[in-house]
Coordinates of all heavy atoms in Angstrom, one line a residue:
M1171 N 124.7 78.2 92.8 CA 124.3 79.0 93.9 C 122.8 78.8 94.2 O 122.0 78.8 93.3 CB 124.5 80.5 93.6 CG 126.0 80.9 93.6 SD 126.1 82.6 93.4 CE 127.3 82.6 92.0
P1172 N 122.5 78.7 95.5 CA 121.0 78.6 95.8 C 120.3 79.9 95.6 O 120.9 81.0 95.6 CB 121.0 78.2 97.3 CG 122.4 78.6 97.8 CD 123.3 78.6 96.6
R1173 N 119.0 79.8 95.4 CA 118.1 80.9 95.2 C 117.0 80.8 96.1 O 116.5 79.7 96.4 CB 117.6 81.0 93.8 CG 118.6 81.4 92.7 CD 118.1 81.3 91.3 NE 117.9 79.9 91.1 CZ 117.0 79.4 90.2 NH1 116.3 80.2 89.5 NH2 116.9 78.1 90.0
I1174 N 116.5 81.9 96.6 CA 115.3 82.0 97.4 C 114.2 82.6 96.5 O 114.4 83.6 95.9 CB 115.4 82.8 98.6 CG1 116.5 82.2 99.5 CG2 114.1 83.0 99.4 CD1 116.9 83.1 100.7
V1175 N 113.1 81.9 96.3 CA 112.0 82.3 95.5 C 110.9 82.9 96.3 O 110.5 82.3 97.3 CB 111.5 81.2 94.6 CG1 110.2 81.6 93.8 CG2 112.6 80.7 93.7
V1176 N 110.4 84.1 96.0 CA 109.3 84.8 96.7 C 108.2 85.0 95.7 O 108.4 85.6 94.6 CB 109.8 86.1 97.3 CG1 108.6 86.9 97.9 CG2 110.9 85.9 98.2
D1177 N 107.0 84.5 96.0 CA 105.8 84.7 95.2 C 104.9 85.6 95.9 O 104.6 85.4 97.1 CB 105.1 83.4 94.9 CG 106.0 82.4 94.1 OD1 106.5 82.9 93.1 OD2 106.1 81.2 94.4
V1178 N 104.4 86.6 95.2 CA 103.5 87.7 95.7 C 102.3 87.7 94.8 O 102.4 87.7 93.6 CB 104.2 89.0 95.7 CG1 103.3 90.1 96.2 CG2 105.5 89.0 96.5
M1179 N 101.1 87.8 95.5 CA 99.8 87.8 94.8 C 99.0 89.0 95.3 O 99.1 89.3 96.5 CB 99.0 86.5 94.9 CG 99.7 85.3 94.3 SD 99.8 85.4 92.5 CE 98.1 85.3 92.1
P1180 N 98.1 89.5 94.4 CA 97.2 90.5 94.9 C 96.2 89.9 96.0 O 95.9 88.7 95.9 CB 96.4 90.9 93.7 CG 97.0 90.3 92.5 CD 97.9 89.2 93.0
K1181 N 95.9 90.7 97.0 CA 94.9 90.2 97.9 C 93.6 89.8 97.2 O 93.3 90.5 96.2 CB 94.7 91.2 99.0 CG 95.9 91.4 99.9 CD 95.6 92.4 101.0 CE 96.8 92.6 101.9 NZ 96.7 92.2 103.2
P1182 N 92.8 88.9 97.7 CA 91.6 88.4 97.0 C 90.6 89.6 96.8 O 89.9 89.6 95.8 CB 91.0 87.4 98.0 CG 92.2 86.9 98.8 CD 93.1 88.1 98.9
E1183 N 90.6 90.6 97.7 CA 89.6 91.6 97.5 C 90.0 92.7 96.6 O 89.3 93.6 96.2 CB 89.2 92.2 98.9 CG 90.4 92.9 99.6 CD 91.2 91.9 100.5 OE1 91.1 90.7 100.4 OE2 92.0 92.4 101.3
I1184 N 91.2 92.6 96.1 CA 91.8 93.6 95.2 C 91.5 93.2 93.7 O 91.7 92.1 93.3 CB 93.3 93.8 95.4 CG1 93.6 94.3 96.8 CG2 93.9 94.8 94.4 CD1 93.0 95.6 97.2
L1185 N 91.0 94.2 92.9 CA 90.8 93.9 91.5 C 92.1 93.6 90.8 O 93.2 94.2 91.2 CB 90.1 95.1 90.8 CG 88.7 95.5 91.3 CD1 88.2 96.7 90.6 CD2 87.8 94.3 91.1
D1186 N 92.1 92.7 89.8 CA 93.3 92.3 89.1 C 93.0 92.5 87.6 O 92.6 91.6 86.9 CB 93.6 90.9 89.4 CG 94.9 90.4 88.8 OD1 95.6 91.2 88.1 OD2 95.2 89.2 88.9
P1187 N 93.3 93.8 87.1 CA 92.9 94.0 85.7 C 93.8 93.2 84.7 O 93.3 92.8 83.7 CB 93.2 95.5 85.5 CG 93.9 95.9 86.7 CD 93.7 94.9 87.8
Q1188 N 95.0 92.9 85.1 CA 95.8 92.0 84.2 C 95.3 90.6 84.2 O 95.2 90.0 83.1 CB 97.3 92.0 84.7 CG 98.0 93.3 84.5 CD 99.4 93.4 85.1 OE1 99.5 93.0 86.3 NE2 100.3 93.8 84.3
G1189 N 94.9 90.1 85.3 CA 94.3 88.7 85.3 C 93.0 88.7 84.6 O 92.7 87.7 83.8
K1190 N 92.2 89.8 84.7 CA 91.0 89.8 83.9 C 91.2 89.9 82.4 O 90.5 89.2 81.6 CB 90.2 91.1 84.3 CG 88.8 91.2 83.8 CD 88.0 92.3 84.3 CE 86.6 92.4 83.8 NZ 85.8 93.5 84.3
A1191 N 92.2 90.6 82.0 CA 92.6 90.6 80.5 C 93.0 89.3 80.1 O 92.7 88.8 79.0 CB 93.6 91.7 80.3
I1192 N 93.8 88.6 80.9 CA 94.3 87.3 80.5 C 93.2 86.3 80.4 O 93.1 85.5 79.4 CB 95.4 86.8 81.5 CG1 96.6 87.6 81.4 CG2 95.7 85.3 81.3 CD1 97.6 87.5 82.6
V1193 N 92.3 86.3 81.4 CA 91.2 85.3 81.3 C 90.2 85.6 80.2 O 89.7 84.7 79.6 CB 90.4 85.2 82.7 CG1 89.4 86.4 82.8 CG2 89.7 83.9 82.9
G1194 N 90.2 86.8 79.7 CA 89.4 87.1 78.5 C 90.0 86.7 77.2 O 89.4 86.3 76.3
A1195 N 91.4 86.7 77.2 CA 92.1 86.3 76.0 C 92.3 84.8 75.9 O 92.4 84.3 74.7 CB 93.5 86.9 76.0
L1196 N 92.3 84.1 77.0 CA 92.5 82.6 76.9 C 91.5 81.9 75.9 O 92.0 81.1 75.1 CB 92.5 82.0 78.3 CG 93.7 82.3 79.2 CD1 93.4 81.8 80.6 CD2 94.9 81.6 78.6
P1197 N 90.2 82.1 76.0 CA 89.3 81.4 75.1 C 89.5 81.7 73.7 O 89.4 80.9 72.8 CB 87.9 81.9 75.6 CG 88.1 82.4 77.0 CD 89.5 82.9 77.0
R1198 N 89.9 83.0 73.4 CA 90.2 83.3 72.0 C 91.4 82.6 71.5 O 91.5 82.4 70.2 CB 90.4 84.9 71.9 CG 89.2 85.7 72.2 CD 89.4 87.2 71.8 NE 90.4 87.8 72.5 CZ 90.3 88.4 73.7 NH1 89.1 88.5 74.3 NH2 91.3 89.1 74.2
L1199 N 92.3 82.1 72.3 CA 93.4 81.3 71.9 C 93.2 79.8 72.0 O 94.1 79.1 71.9 CB 94.6 81.7 72.8 CG 95.1 83.2 72.6 CD1 96.1 83.6 73.6 CD2 95.5 83.5 71.2
G1200 N 92.0 79.4 72.3 CA 91.6 78.0 72.4 C 91.7 77.4 73.8 O 91.5 76.2 73.9
F1201 N 92.0 78.2 74.8 CA 92.2 77.6 76.2 C 90.8 77.9 76.9 O 90.6 79.0 77.4 CB 93.3 78.3 76.9 CG 94.6 78.1 76.2 CD1 95.2 79.2 75.5 CD2 95.3 76.9 76.3 CE1 96.4 79.0 74.9 CE2 96.5 76.8 75.6 CZ 97.1 77.8 74.9
T1202 N 90.0 76.9 76.9 CA 88.6 77.1 77.4 C 88.3 76.6 78.8 O 87.3 76.7 79.3 CB 87.6 76.5 76.4 OG1 87.9 75.1 76.3 CG2 87.7 77.2 75.1
A1203 N 89.3 75.9 79.4 CA 89.1 75.3 80.7 C 89.2 76.2 81.9 O 88.9 75.8 83.0 CB 90.1 74.1 80.8
F1204 N 89.6 77.4 81.7 CA 89.9 78.3 82.8 C 88.9 79.4 83.0 O 88.5 80.1 82.0 CB 91.3 79.0 82.6 CG 92.4 77.9 82.2 CD1 92.9 77.8 81.0 CD2 92.8 77.1 83.2 CE1 93.8 76.9 80.6 CE2 93.8 76.1 82.9 CZ 94.3 76.0 81.6
S1205 N 88.4 79.5 84.2 CA 87.4 80.5 84.5 C 87.9 81.8 85.2 O 87.2 82.7 85.4 CB 86.2 79.9 85.3 OG 86.7 79.4 86.5
G1206 N 89.1 81.7 85.7 CA 89.7 82.9 86.4 C 91.2 82.9 86.4 O 91.8 81.8 86.2
V1207 N 91.8 84.0 86.4 CA 93.2 84.2 86.5 C 93.5 85.3 87.5 O 92.9 86.4 87.5 CB 93.8 84.6 85.1 CG1 95.3 84.9 85.2 CG2 93.5 83.5 84.1
R1208 N 94.5 85.1 88.3 CA 95.1 86.2 89.1 C 96.6 86.2 88.8 O 97.3 85.2 88.8 CB 95.0 85.9 90.6 CG 93.5 85.7 91.1 CD 92.8 86.9 91.3 NE 93.2 87.7 92.4 CZ 92.8 88.9 92.7 NH1 92.0 89.5 91.9 NH2 93.3 89.6 93.7
Q1209 N 97.1 87.4 88.4 CA 98.5 87.5 88.1 C 99.3 88.1 89.2 O 98.9 89.1 89.9 CB 98.7 88.5 86.9 CG 100.1 88.6 86.5 CD 100.3 89.4 85.2 OE1 99.4 89.6 84.5 NE2 101.5 89.8 85.0
G1210 N 100.4 87.4 89.5 CA 101.2 87.9 90.6 C 102.6 88.2 90.2 O 102.9 88.4 89.0
K1211 N 103.5 88.2 91.1 CA 104.9 88.5 90.9 C 105.8 87.4 91.5 O 105.5 86.8 92.5 CB 105.4 89.8 91.5 CG 104.6 91.0 91.0 CD 105.1 92.3 91.6 CE 104.7 92.5 93.0 NZ 105.0 93.8 93.6
R1212 N 106.9 87.1 90.8 CA 107.9 86.2 91.4 C 109.3 86.9 91.4 O 109.7 87.5 90.5 CB 108.0 85.0 90.4 CG 109.1 84.0 90.8 CD 109.1 82.8 89.8 NE 110.3 82.0 90.0 CZ 110.3 80.7 90.2 NH1 109.1 80.1 90.3 NH2 111.4 80.0 90.3
F1213 N 109.9 86.7 92.6 CA 111.3 87.2 92.8 C 112.2 86.1 93.0 O 111.9 85.2 93.8 CB 111.3 88.2 94.0 CG 110.4 89.4 93.8 CD1 109.1 89.4 94.3 CD2 110.9 90.6 93.2 CE1 108.3 90.5 94.1 CE2 110.1 91.7 93.1 CZ 108.8 91.6 93.5
E1214 N 113.4 86.1 92.5 CA 114.4 85.1 92.7 C 115.6 85.8 93.3 O 116.3 86.7 92.7 CB 114.8 84.4 91.5 CG 113.7 83.5 90.9 CD 114.1 82.7 89.8 OE1 115.3 82.7 89.4 OE2 113.3 82.0 89.2
L1215 N 115.9 85.5 94.6 CA 117.1 86.1 95.3 C 118.2 85.1 95.3 O 118.1 84.1 95.9 CB 116.6 86.5 96.7 CG 115.3 87.3 96.9 CD1 114.9 87.4 98.3 CD2 115.5 88.7 96.3
T1216 N 119.3 85.5 94.7 CA 120.5 84.6 94.7 C 121.3 84.8 96.0 O 121.5 85.9 96.4 CB 121.4 84.9 93.5 OG1 120.6 84.8 92.3 CG2 122.5 83.9 93.4
V1217 N 121.8 83.7 96.5 CA 122.6 83.7 97.8 C 123.9 83.1 97.5 O 124.1 82.1 96.9 CB 121.8 82.9 98.8 CG1 122.6 82.8 100.1 CG2 120.4 83.4 99.1
E1218 N 125.0 83.8 98.0 CA 126.3 83.3 98.0 C 126.5 82.4 99.2 O 126.4 82.8 100.3 CB 127.3 84.5 98.1 CG 127.2 85.5 97.0 CD 127.8 85.0 95.7 OE1 128.6 84.1 95.7 OE2 127.4 85.5 94.6
G1219 N 126.7 81.1 99.0 CA 126.9 80.2 100.1 C 125.6 79.6 100.5 O 124.5 79.8 99.8
P1220 N 125.6 78.8 101.6 CA 124.3 78.1 102.0 C 123.3 79.1 102.5 O 123.6 80.2 103.0 CB 124.8 77.2 103.1 CG 126.1 77.8 103.6 CD 126.7 78.5 102.5
V1221 N 122.0 78.7 102.4 CA 120.9 79.5 102.9 C 120.7 79.1 104.4 O 120.3 78.0 104.7 CB 119.6 79.3 102.1 CG1 118.5 80.1 102.7 CG2 119.9 79.7 100.7
T1222 N 121.0 80.0 105.3 CA 120.8 79.7 106.7 C 119.4 80.2 107.1 O 118.7 80.9 106.4 CB 121.9 80.5 107.5 OG1 121.7 81.9 107.3 CG2 123.3 80.1 107.1
D1223 N 119.0 79.8 108.3 CA 117.7 80.3 108.9 C 117.7 81.8 108.9 O 116.7 82.5 108.6 CB 117.5 79.8 110.2 CG 117.1 78.3 110.2 OD1 116.8 77.7 109.2 OD2 117.3 77.6 111.3
E1224 N 118.8 82.5 109.2 CA 118.9 83.9 109.3 C 118.7 84.6 107.9 O 117.9 85.5 107.8 CB 120.2 84.4 109.8 CG 120.4 85.9 109.9 CD 121.8 86.3 110.5 OE1 122.5 85.5 111.1 OE2 122.2 87.4 110.2
I1225 N 119.3 84.0 106.9 CA 119.1 84.5 105.5 C 117.7 84.3 105.0 O 117.1 85.2 104.4 CB 120.1 83.8 104.6 CG1 121.6 84.3 104.9 CG2 119.8 84.1 103.1 CD1 122.7 83.6 104.1
L1226 N 117.1 83.2 105.4 CA 115.7 82.9 105.0 C 114.8 83.9 105.7 O 113.8 84.4 105.1 CB 115.3 81.5 105.3 CG 114.1 80.9 104.6 CD1 114.1 81.1 103.1 CD2 113.9 79.5 105.0
E1227 N 115.1 84.2 106.9 CA 114.3 85.2 107.6 C 114.4 86.6 107.0 O 113.5 87.4 106.9 CB 114.6 85.2 109.1 CG 113.8 86.1 110.0 CD 112.3 85.8 110.0 OE1 112.0 84.6 109.8 OE2 111.5 86.7 110.1
Q1228 N 115.7 86.9 106.6 CA 115.9 88.2 105.9 C 115.0 88.3 104.6 O 114.5 89.3 104.3 CB 117.3 88.4 105.6 CG 118.2 88.8 106.7 CD 119.7 89.0 106.3 OE1 119.9 89.6 105.2 NE2 120.6 88.6 107.2
A1229 N 115.0 87.1 103.9 CA 114.2 87.1 102.7 C 112.7 87.3 103.0 O 112.0 88.0 102.2 CB 114.4 85.8 101.9
R1230 N 112.2 86.7 104.0 CA 110.8 86.9 104.4 C 110.6 88.3 104.8 O 109.5 88.9 104.4 CB 110.5 85.9 105.6 CG 110.3 84.5 105.2 CD 109.8 83.7 106.3 NE 109.7 82.3 106.0 CZ 110.6 81.3 106.3 NH1 111.6 81.7 107.1 NH2 110.5 80.1 105.9
N1231 N 111.5 88.9 105.5 CA 111.3 90.3 105.9 C 111.3 91.2 104.7 O 110.5 92.2 104.5 CB 112.4 90.8 106.9 CG 112.1 90.2 108.3 OD1 111.0 89.8 108.6 ND2 113.2 90.1 109.0
A1232 N 112.3 91.0 103.7 CA 112.3 91.8 102.5 C 111.1 91.6 101.7 O 110.5 92.5 101.1 CB 113.6 91.3 101.7
A1233 N 110.5 90.4 101.7 CA 109.3 90.1 100.9 C 108.1 90.9 101.5 O 107.3 91.5 100.8 CB 109.0 88.6 100.9
E1234 N 108.0 91.0 102.8 CA 106.9 91.7 103.5 C 107.1 93.2 103.4 O 106.1 93.9 103.4 CB 106.8 91.2 104.9 CG 106.4 89.8 105.1 CD 105.0 89.5 104.8 OE1 104.2 90.4 104.7 OE2 104.7 88.3 104.5
T1235 N 108.3 93.7 103.4 CA 108.5 95.1 103.5 C 108.9 95.8 102.2 O 108.6 97.0 102.0 CB 109.6 95.5 104.5 OG1 110.8 94.9 104.2 CG2 109.2 95.0 105.9
M1236 N 109.5 95.1 101.3 CA 110.0 95.8 100.1 C 109.5 95.1 98.8 O 109.1 95.8 97.8 CB 111.5 95.8 100.0 CG 112.1 96.5 98.9 SD 113.9 96.3 98.9 CE 114.1 96.3 97.1
L1237 N 109.4 93.8 98.7 CA 109.0 93.1 97.5 C 107.5 93.1 97.3 O 107.1 92.9 96.1 CB 109.6 91.7 97.5 CG 111.1 91.6 97.6 CD1 111.5 90.1 97.6 CD2 111.8 92.3 96.6
S1238 N 106.8 93.4 98.3 CA 105.3 93.4 98.2 C 104.8 94.7 98.8 O 105.5 95.4 99.5 CB 104.7 92.2 98.9 OG 104.9 92.4 100.3
N1239 N 103.6 95.0 98.3 CA 102.9 96.2 98.9 C 101.8 95.5 99.9 O 100.8 95.0 99.4 CB 102.2 97.0 97.8 CG 101.4 98.1 98.4 OD1 101.1 98.2 99.6 ND2 101.0 99.1 97.5
P1240 N 102.1 95.6 101.2 CA 101.2 94.8 102.1 C 99.8 95.3 102.2 O 98.9 94.7 102.7 CB 101.9 95.0 103.5 CG 102.9 96.1 103.3 CD 103.2 96.2 101.9
V1241 N 99.5 96.5 101.6 CA 98.2 97.0 101.6 C 97.3 96.2 100.6 O 96.2 96.0 100.8 CB 98.2 98.5 101.2 CG1 96.7 99.1 101.1 CG2 98.9 99.3 102.3
I1242 N 97.9 95.9 99.4 CA 97.2 95.2 98.4 C 97.7 93.9 98.0 O 97.1 93.2 97.1 CB 97.1 96.1 97.1 CG1 98.5 96.4 96.5 CG2 96.4 97.4 97.4 CD1 98.5 97.0 95.2
E1243 N 98.8 93.4 98.5 CA 99.4 92.1 98.1 C 99.7 91.2 99.3 O 100.0 91.7 100.4 CB 100.7 92.3 97.3 CG 100.5 93.1 96.0 CD 101.8 93.4 95.4 OE1 102.8 93.9 96.0 OE2 101.9 93.2 94.1
D1244 N 99.7 89.9 99.1 CA 100.1 88.9 100.1 C 101.4 88.2 99.6 O 101.4 87.9 98.4 CB 99.0 87.9 100.3 CG 97.8 88.4 101.0 OD1 98.0 89.2 101.9 OD2 96.7 88.0 100.7
V1245 N 102.3 88.0 100.5 CA 103.4 87.1 100.2 C 102.9 85.7 100.4 O 102.5 85.3 101.5 CB 104.6 87.4 101.1 CG1 105.7 86.3 100.8 CG2 105.1 88.8 100.9
V1246 N 102.8 84.9 99.3 CA 102.2 83.6 99.4 C 103.2 82.4 99.5 O 102.8 81.3 99.8 CB 101.2 83.3 98.2 CG1 100.0 84.3 98.3 CG2 101.9 83.4 96.9
N1247 N 104.5 82.7 99.2 CA 105.4 81.6 99.2 C 106.8 82.2 99.3 O 107.2 83.2 98.6 CB 105.3 80.8 97.9 CG 106.3 79.6 97.9 OD1 106.4 78.9 98.9 ND2 106.9 79.4 96.8
V1248 N 107.7 81.6 100.2 CA 109.1 81.9 100.2 C 109.8 80.6 100.4 O 109.5 79.9 101.4 CB 109.4 82.8 101.4 CG1 111.0 83.0 101.5 CG2 108.7 84.2 101.4
E1249 N 110.5 80.2 99.4 CA 111.2 78.8 99.4 C 112.5 78.9 98.8 O 112.9 79.8 98.0 CB 110.3 77.8 98.7 CG 110.3 78.0 97.2 CD 109.5 76.9 96.5 OE1 109.7 75.7 96.7 OE2 108.6 77.3 95.6
V1250 N 113.4 77.9 99.2 CA 114.7 77.8 98.7 C 114.8 76.8 97.5 O 114.3 75.7 97.6 CB 115.7 77.3 99.8 CG1 117.1 77.2 99.3 CG2 115.6 78.3 101.0
L1251 N 115.4 77.3 96.4 CA 115.7 76.4 95.3 C 117.2 76.2 95.2 O 118.0 77.2 95.2 CB 115.2 77.0 94.0 CG 113.7 77.3 93.8 CD1 113.5 77.9 92.4 CD2 113.0 76.0 93.9
D1252 N 117.7 75.0 95.2 CA 119.1 74.7 95.1 C 119.6 74.9 93.7 O 118.8 74.7 92.8 CB 119.4 73.3 95.6 CG 119.2 73.2 97.1 OD1 119.5 74.1 97.9 OD2 118.8 72.1 97.6
A1253 N 120.8 75.3 93.6 CA 121.4 75.5 92.2 C 121.5 74.2 91.5 O 121.5 73.1 92.0 CB 122.8 76.1 92.3

């Protein structure tokens, strides 16, 4: 079954305490190449049957209105993954 993947990230001007905690922990674990981290969310929507343009538009609308908080988050990706 195909899946639609939606990625949501905090807006750039919004503080990201989880990302800050992760970037602080990375060097302690030996990962020294990274200077910043932003943590987001990933949603996988399973579809029965083929993904039509209408279904993809529904996924985009759901991403903008329910899966993200448009005040503090941006939907950065909506894509179809085949089974």
